[in-house]
Amino acid sequence: QVQLVESGGGSVQAGGSLRLSCAASEDISSDYCMGWFRQDAGKEREVPTFDPEEEREGVAFIDSEERTTYADPVKGRFTISKDNAKNTLFLHMNNLKSEDSAMYYCVARPCHCSGGHCRSTVGWYWGQGTQVTVSS
């Protein structure tokens, strides 16, 4: 399975920018859907589901046809992109707000996409996360 290692997190003031990187252990140029989730420890569910996909908020995704989708809170501020030659996924975050503070997780899974519709037979593979803290 693909291994994912995030980097680029840190502390910034509101209005600042960060670029997160996710290095993948294998070729991600095709047949992979990838994305970013985040989890704010202060917003954990009272009754945990123990399912990371349910516990965390999807932020941005890019499919195997390089179509991108974004969660409403980050539209216009965040940009997801890939450097296929370096097997690296990025999340460019601009105009950061205090509510963007969270642990950010890179995800990937093999998928087949056609015309914007994607299918996958496996769940997401997860990185270990990188912390982003935005002070107001």
Side-chain angles (χ1 to χ4, degrees), residues 32-65:
Y32 264 100
C33 292
M34 302 188 72
W36 295 89
F37 281 79
R38 66 186 181 185
Q39 184 171 20
D40 181 354
K43 296 180 181 177
E44 292 178 346
R45 292 171 180 262
E46 291 185 2
V47 180
T49 67
F50 302 107
D51 179 340
E53 191 166 348
E54 291 199 13
E55 296 288 339
R56 299 164 180 169
E57 175 190 13
V59 176
F61 298 91
I62 184 166
D63 69 19
S64 61
E65 296 180 317

Side-chain angles (χ1 to χ4, degrees), residues 109-129:
R109 63 185 174 189
C111 67
H112 175 72
C113 300
S114 177
H117 298 284
C118 299
R119 292 182 294 112
S120 180
T121 59
V122 300
W124 292 110
Y125 298 119
W126 295 81
Q128 293 302 303

Side-chain angles (χ1 to χ4, degrees), residues 34-133:
M34 302 188 72
W36 295 89
F37 281 79
R38 66 186 181 185
Q39 184 171 20
D40 181 354
K43 296 180 181 177
E44 292 178 346
R45 292 171 180 262
E46 291 185 2
V47 180
T49 67
F50 302 107
D51 179 340
E53 191 166 348
E54 291 199 13
E55 296 288 339
R56 299 164 180 169
E57 175 190 13
V59 176
F61 298 91
I62 184 166
D63 69 19
S64 61
E65 296 180 317
E66 306 219 355
R67 296 173 187 257
T68 58
T69 56
Y70 297 92
D72 286 343
V74 307
K75 282 181 180 177
R77 300 188 298 120
F78 290 12
T79 303
I80 189 170
S81 64
K82 287 195 305 177
D83 184 336
N84 291 325
K86 296 181 179 180
N87 294 334
T88 301
L89 179 74
F90 299 102
L91 184 67
H92 304 260
M93 305 186 294
N94 297 318
N95 191 21
L96 282 161
K97 304 176 181 180
S98 57
E99 52 263 42
D100 294 319
S101 295
M103 184 72 79
Y104 282 72
Y105 297 90
C106 174
V107 295
R109 63 185 174 189
C111 67
H112 175 72
C113 300
S114 177
H117 298 284
C118 299
R119 292 182 294 112
S120 180
T121 59
V122 300
W124 292 110
Y125 298 119
W126 295 81
Q128 293 302 303
T130 185
Q131 179 68 39
V132 171
T133 302

Side-chain angles (χ1 to χ4, degrees), residues 6-19:
E6 302 96 332
S7 62
S11 296
V12 295
Q13 290 191 328
S17 299
L18 282 174
R19 186 185 75 167

